Amino acid sequence: VMGSAPLGPLVLGADATLQRVRAVDDGAEQTLEYEPALTGGLRLDARLPGRWNAGFEVRYLGSQLAQNPDAGTLDPLPAAARLDVRIGRGFRVHEGALGRVDASLALENLLDDVVYDQAGLPQAGRTARLQLRFW
């Protein structure tokens, strides 16, 4: 399920996936790895004065199971969340091709939480990203 709604200078968006994934082999049901029961997020984008814009996003990844090849078992990976924030502005530097620039600064995983997509493969920790887009 996903959706978004404008609220004046704000846009609120949300998404959620709720699932129960199982494999069936010869009538026997098996639990699968890397299939969290719940994932989702909440996002807020804002137009600010002076043609600035800002965004805030919280992402949640529910607990899941990961194959432990040493023990031959499915071990739990804990649920985790991350917070991303960004601010940016568009500029016109000249008329014509590549005369516009969108500049943004983002802080991703601001709280530096450990978020695993797979066992042993965490997403990046706290990251600062400066982006310039010419068009």
Side-chain angles (χ1 to χ4, degrees):
V1 173
M2 64 168 125
S4 64
L7 305 167
L10 306 176
V11 176
L12 180 64
D15 66 272
T17 300
L18 182 61
Q19 63 181 2
R20 181 179 181 267
V21 179
R22 299 288 185 262
V24 178
D25 187 15
D26 292 331
E29 189 175 282
Q30 299 173 356
T31 302
L32 298 175
E33 61 182 336
Y34 308 124
E35 296 294 341
L38 176 63
T39 61
L42 184 62
R43 180 180 181 134
L44 180 67
D45 291 308
R47 288 187 310 260
L48 303 174
R51 295 186 3 211
W52 288 88
N53 58 68
F56 306 89
E57 184 172 19
V58 176
R59 300 286 320 152
Y60 174 81
L61 179 65
S63 62
Q64 53 189 324
L65 299 173
Q67 184 69 42
N68 181 336
D70 295 332
T73 59
L74 289 175
D75 294 346
L77 290 177
R82 60 180 283 160
L83 171 65
D84 299 339
V85 297
R86 68 170 171 71
I87 188 162
R89 185 178 189 280
F91 301 90
R92 178 171 294 283
V93 291
H94 65 81
E95 295 297 323
L98 303 180
R100 297 188 66 179
V101 179
D102 289 337
S104 64
L105 175 64
L107 299 175
E108 299 168 344
N109 197 358
L110 186 62
L111 303 177
D112 202 24
D113 288 340
V114 178
V115 180
Y116 287 98
D117 289 319
Q118 292 186 15
L121 298 173
Q123 294 179 8
R126 184 178 302 120
T127 303
R129 180 173 44 89
L130 174 63
Q131 179 175 319
L132 299 172
R133 183 177 74 135
F134 296 88
W135 54 290

